[in-house]
């Protein structure tokens, strides 16, 4: 599943460039369009761009590619900054392509003056109809041979707001028969009387991506401009503009977009899920947005680890969601505090434990890491909550948990033997009765008994109450984006299960935002933003084992 890491072909290029003294310092940029929240695909691009300058020195700019006034919002700018910081990266400069509108305008004038750009009165349909096809050349626009003076006059008037939207464009004058369709007199500027989130109503002409992106790179002296594969055909135009304008020669390199199974990595579709209320906002814990993953309890370390493992590829492919979950599990196993929580409770009564007696038993906070967090006390008493699924009236084969006559260890406490149980009229188990073996206390066990099963528990009078949200993958097919028609029909109806009343050990009542827990035998959890002091709400970040592994091998 994981593609060969071509020891990062971009690193090889940079090494070569430094060796040849082509540049003295490496500058990269991460250039999001602020039209949505960042997702796991962006994380890959962030790790790549920032990773390169971390490795080779220099810096990475955070540049908002905000040349399209209609879809962009300040809320998105703020979320993007927060996400990049949270992932653990510091940018060299915070920049906006819109800061370059003035410079870009001057570049356009320069091209006009040198006979390399012209104002076209054709409509977008007319332009398209003269474009030709990959196998047939296009035709020159009737406005292609306007004089420099006329072009200057019209372009200035376009800027001054004289013309309505869509009535004129500025186009590069290259070659209508060029084998690369993008070189057939590409549009550089369009008229759009729209309010921009930063420049307000100052501009009514906006540069196209191709005229803004490369020039922005160049203005910032970006040495290696890394983008995804769909921009390969744009590279020729990128180079043409830089050459004709005689500006800093930034170079574009492409890598494969990173897409993941069982999720969506398109801001447009994610926005649709948000707008149509399939999810609880951009940070819904089922969304593979960075904010969603953060809320769900993923760590920046695990996301960086994932990006590192998938590396940089030259071919598109789907990365297994299981790998991301593996990285999360792997990191949380090292850092999460072990706690007890009972999600589907049934009462266990220790018939030979004195009524009213309470003792403290010690339990390890994290046995995976040496001296990680030591131990914590747990209250132990006659009545305990255990998981309903840990008792079977008629035990299955190889059942090592509770059943009539069976013995198990209560984690960090005593060995108990099941002596009986109670049922209600409907046949539901309401109580499990056990005797406990006083000399079997964890740490000082002199009982000489061996038990195969260990279960978790919570002392009834000391238990706290919490809401627990169990998340699963948002989609139930590997590639929900494939039929563009309706990816929404593939939403996993079981992607969220809410347990209104779960029992948590006393120490969890003091849990704070951002803390990571392993609920023993149940998975990794963290507090949700909807938690209150009265009712903590826990999100399940990931299960302890990959429950989808079999599914994806089918
Ligand atoms: P979307 O289709 O989700 O809107 P985009 O490419 O339009 O994505 P931008 O804001 O333009 O989003 O992207 C910022 C940077 O992140 C670009 O350099 C882009 O190439 C990169 N990027 C976006 N999606 C992915 C992805 N799935 N894998 C790798 N890089 C990505
Ligand atoms: Mg985009």
């Amino acid at each position: 599943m994981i593609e060969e890491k071509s020891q990062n072909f971009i690193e090889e290029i940079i090494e070569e460039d430094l060796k040849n003294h082509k540049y003295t310092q490496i500058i990269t940029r991460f250039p999001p369009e602020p039209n949505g929240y960042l997702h796991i695909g962006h994380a890959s691009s962030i790790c790549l761009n920032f990773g390169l300058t971390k490795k080779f020195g220099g810096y990475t700019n955070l540049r908002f590619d905000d040349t399209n006034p209609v879809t962009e919002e300040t809320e998105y700018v703020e979320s993007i900054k927060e996400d990049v910081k949270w992932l653990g990266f510091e940018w060299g400069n915070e920049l906006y392509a819109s800061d370059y509108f003035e410079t870009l305008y001057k570049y356009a004038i320069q091209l006009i003056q040198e006979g390399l750009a012209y104002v076209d009165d054709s409509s977008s349909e007319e332009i398209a109809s003269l474009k030709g096809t990959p196998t047939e050349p296009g035709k020159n626009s009737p406005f292609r041979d306007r004089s420099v003076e006329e072009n200057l006059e019209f372009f200035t008037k376009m800027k001054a707001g004289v013309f309505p939207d869509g009535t004129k464009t500025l186009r590069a004058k290259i070659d209508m028969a060029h084998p690369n369709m993008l070189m057939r007199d590409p549009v550089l500027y369009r008229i759009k009387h729209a309010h921009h989130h930063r420049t307000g109503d100052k501009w009514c002409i906006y540069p196209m991506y191709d005229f803004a992106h490369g020039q922005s790179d160049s203005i910032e002296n970006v040495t290696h401009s890394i983008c995804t594969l769909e921009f390969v055909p744009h590279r020729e135009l990128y180079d043409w503009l830089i050459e004709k304008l005689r500006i800093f020669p930034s170079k574009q390199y492409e890598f494969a977009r990173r897409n993941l199974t069982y999720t969506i990595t398109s801001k447009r579709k994610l926005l649709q899920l948000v707008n149509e209320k399939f999810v609880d906002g951009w940070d819904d814990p089922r969304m593979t947005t960075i904010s969603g993953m953060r809320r769900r309890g993923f760590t920046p370390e695990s996301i960086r680890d994932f990006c590192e493992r998938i590396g940089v590829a030259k071919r598109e492919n789907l990365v297994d969601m299981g790998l991301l979950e593996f990285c999360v599990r792997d990191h949380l196993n090292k850092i999460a505090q072990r706690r007890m929580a009972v999600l589907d409770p049934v009462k266990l009564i220790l018939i030979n434990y004195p009524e009213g007696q309470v003792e403290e038993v010690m339990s390890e906070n994290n046995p995976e890491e040496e001296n990680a967090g030591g131990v914590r006390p747990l209250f132990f008493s006659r009545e305990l909550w255990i998981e309903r699924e840990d008792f079977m009236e008629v035990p299955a084969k190889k059942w090592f948990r509770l059943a009539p006559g069976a013995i198990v260890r209560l984690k960090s406490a005593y060995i108990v033997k099941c002596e009986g149980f109670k049922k209600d009229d409907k046949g539901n188990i309401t109580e499990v009765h056990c005797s406990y073996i006083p000399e079997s206390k964890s740490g000082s066990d002199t009982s000489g008994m061996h038990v195969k099963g260990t279960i978790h528990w919570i002392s009834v009078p000391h238990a706290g109450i919490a809401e627990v949200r169990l998340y699963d993958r948002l989609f139930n097919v590997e590639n929900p984006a494939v039929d563009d028609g309706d990816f929404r029909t593939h939403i996993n109806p079981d992607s969220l299960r809410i347990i209104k009343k779960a029992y948590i050990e006393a120490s969890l009542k003091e849990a704070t935002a951002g803390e990571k827990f392993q609920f023993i035998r149940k998975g990794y959890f963290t507090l949700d933003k909807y938690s209150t002091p009265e009712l903590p709400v826990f999100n399940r970040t990931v299960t302890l084992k990959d429950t989808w592994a079999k599914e994806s091998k089918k």
Side-chain angles (χ1 to χ4, degrees):
M1 193 90 218
I2 308 169
E3 242 171 273
E4 75 286 352
K5 275 199 247 171
S6 42
Q7 189 6 44
N8 197 330
F9 69 97
I10 298 174
E11 290 184 359
E12 282 169 15
I13 292 167
I14 293 182
E15 228 156 60
E16 206 53 32
D17 288 347
L18 286 171
K19 211 168 71 193
N20 299 334
H21 306 285
K22 191 166 168 191
Y23 310 106
T24 49
Q25 165 171 254
I26 300 305
I27 303 176
T28 61
R29 85 288 171 265
F30 172 64
E33 185 180 350
N35 61 348
Y37 281 59
L38 299 181
H39 53 63
I40 185 72
H42 294 112
S44 165
S45 171
I46 293 169
C47 289
L48 174 60
N49 278 296
F50 284 87
L52 289 171
T53 53
K54 234 176 191 168
K55 177 159 179 187
F56 294 103
Y59 58 87
T60 301
N61 287 335
L62 174 61
R63 183 204 314 142
F64 292 99
D65 223 326
D66 59 350
T67 52
N68 182 2
V70 184
T71 52
E72 292 152 7
E73 284 178 35
T74 310
E75 174 199 343
Y76 297 137
V77 168
E78 293 310 315
S79 78
I80 289 169
K81 283 160 62 174
E82 187 185 354
D83 289 351
V84 174
K85 270 191 237 161
W86 179 77
L87 273 179
F89 298 108
E90 264 175 62
W91 48 86
N93 305 290
E94 175 186 335
L95 301 163
Y96 294 81
S98 58
D99 289 342
Y100 308 138
F101 281 169
E102 204 63 56
T103 310
L104 295 175
Y105 179 75
K106 284 195 193 118
Y107 287 159
I109 300 277
Q110 182 186 336
L111 290 181
I112 295 172
Q113 282 168 335
E114 297 186 15
L116 295 170
Y118 61 97
V119 172
D120 195 334
D121 298 358
S122 312
S123 66
S124 55
E125 293 75 26
E126 285 160 343
I127 291 178
S129 73
L130 295 177
K131 259 267 136 108
T133 66
T135 50
E136 287 167 63
K139 294 198 181 76
N140 286 352
S141 156
F143 305 96
R144 198 172 195 265
D145 293 318
R146 274 184 165 148
S147 68
V148 169
E149 292 66 37
E150 207 178 350
N151 281 321
L152 281 175
E153 183 195 328
F154 280 125
F155 190 55
T156 323
K157 282 189 177 157
M158 277 168 67
K159 178 181 183 245
V162 172
F163 309 116
D165 287 7
T167 54
K168 283 184 170 42
T169 54
L170 182 75
R171 297 177 71 180
K173 195 168 182 176
I174 306 179
D175 178 3
M176 286 307 291
H178 201 287
N180 179 349
M181 300 268 294
L182 285 171
M183 297 293 279
R184 296 183 186 170
D185 292 9
V187 173
L188 305 180
Y189 268 93
R190 66 213 191 284
I191 303 174
K192 212 171 227 179
H193 292 264
H195 188 84
H196 185 277
H197 78 123
R198 294 189 92 232
T199 58
D201 297 315
K202 174 154 188 231
W203 295 88
C204 61
I205 53 170
Y206 290 95
M208 302 299 285
Y209 172 89
D210 282 318
F211 194 63
H213 201 95
Q215 282 52 260
S216 302
D217 286 341
S218 180
I219 291 168
E220 294 170 19
N221 289 354
V222 166
T223 53
H224 300 78
S225 173
I226 299 157
C227 59
T228 41
L229 285 178
E230 68 271 26
F231 291 100
V232 169
H234 295 250
R235 195 192 320 134
E236 208 168 0
L237 180 54
Y238 183 105
D239 291 339
W240 186 89
L241 286 165
I242 283 178
E243 184 200 320
K244 298 298 176 199
L245 291 166
R246 300 178 294 276
I247 52 181
F248 182 84
S250 300
K251 284 278 169 206
Q252 175 183 303
Y253 300 92
E254 307 86 12
F255 78 114
R257 207 165 249 280
R258 287 321 204 164
N259 299 317
L260 232 63
T261 56
Y262 299 99
T263 192
I264 294 277
T265 43
S266 146
K267 280 183 280 186
R268 185 174 56 79
K269 289 186 180 139
L270 292 170
L271 177 64
Q272 217 175 330
L273 293 175
V274 172
N275 284 344
E276 296 169 19
K277 307 244 184 301
F278 284 100
V279 293
D280 174 37
W282 284 98
D283 68 347
D284 184 297
R286 291 165 294 175
M287 298 265 273
T288 39
T289 51
I290 296 179
S291 52
M293 294 188 286
R294 174 168 62 234
R295 182 171 157 201
R296 176 139 165 188
F298 287 23
T299 56
E301 290 87 341
S302 56
I303 297 174
R304 293 201 303 263
D305 179 29
F306 169 73
C307 293
E308 174 79 15
R309 282 169 195 262
I310 62 174
V312 181
K314 289 184 185 177
R315 269 178 296 123
E316 298 250 342
N317 77 347
L318 272 181
V319 180
D320 184 4
M321 172 71 94
L323 181 63
L324 174 60
E325 291 166 349
F326 167 84
C327 294
V328 174
R329 219 174 260 130
D330 189 53
H331 187 230
L332 290 178
N333 181 39
K334 293 188 190 118
I335 63 157
Q337 299 286 301
R338 273 47 170 176
R339 294 291 182 266
M340 295 208 206
V342 174
L343 306 188
D344 183 13
V346 69
K347 201 178 265 183
L348 181 148
I349 298 176
L350 296 172
I351 51 179
N352 60 340
Y353 195 89
E355 248 172 277
Q357 179 171 311
V358 175
E359 67 183 294
E360 283 187 351
V361 298
M362 291 300 177
S363 196
E364 274 178 306
N365 285 327
N366 186 344
E368 286 301 317
E369 256 191 329
E370 259 180 84
N371 316 321
V375 292
R376 71 189 184 290
L378 293 172
F379 294 112
F380 188 83
S381 67
R382 182 182 160 90
E383 295 197 357
L384 310 170
W385 294 118
I386 61 164
E387 296 288 349
R388 185 166 291 278
E389 64 177 17
D390 283 337
F391 175 80
M392 268 185 109
E393 187 180 346
V394 183
K397 260 191 202 153
K398 295 208 175 163
W399 177 256
F400 299 125
R401 294 178 261 165
L402 281 174
I407 55 170
V408 298
R409 176 172 291 284
L410 298 175
K411 168 91 182 154
S412 304
Y414 296 95
I415 295 175
V416 299
K417 178 172 184 215
C418 180
E419 310 282 2
F421 57 90
K422 268 195 191 162
K423 274 203 243 189
D424 64 15
D425 328 334
K426 292 186 204 107
N428 298 316
I429 306 292
T430 53
E431 281 177 11
V432 177
H433 296 168
C434 291
S435 58
Y436 89 111
I437 296 158
E439 58 274 24
S440 68
K441 189 164 180 176
S442 254
S444 59
D445 188 348
T446 57
S447 67
M449 297 172 81
H450 289 288
V451 287
K452 285 205 170 135
T454 299
I455 65 171
H456 61 278
W457 52 273
I458 291 170
S459 165
V460 170
H462 304 97
I465 290 172
E467 180 176 310
V468 171
R469 301 183 175 187
L470 303 178
Y471 297 103
D472 205 343
R473 295 176 181 179
L474 186 52
F475 294 94
N476 51 19
V477 294
E478 281 206 349
N479 194 359
V482 107
D483 67 301
D484 217 38
D486 212 342
F487 64 100
R488 294 163 299 181
T489 57
H490 302 301
I491 289 187
N492 175 7
D494 302 319
S495 62
L496 169 59
R497 191 156 71 84
I498 297 184
I499 296 173
K500 284 284 175 199
K501 191 175 173 188
Y503 291 111
I504 52 174
E505 68 169 70
S507 72
L508 279 173
K509 294 184 226 171
E510 267 89 60
T512 55
E515 276 187 287
K516 308 286 182 258
F517 302 105
Q518 183 195 94
F519 290 178
I520 292 167
R521 304 173 63 224
K522 290 283 138 193
Y524 293 99
F525 290 80
T526 198
L527 274 189
D528 188 67
K529 66 175 186 183
Y530 290 135
S531 277
T532 62
E534 295 72 44
L535 185 69
V537 177
F538 286 96
N539 292 328
R540 183 174 68 195
T541 309
V542 67
T543 51
L544 292 178
K545 289 204 184 94
D546 185 354
T547 51
W548 288 75
K550 263 189 268 137
E551 196 67 22
S552 30
K553 284 202 194 76
K554 265 186 208 164

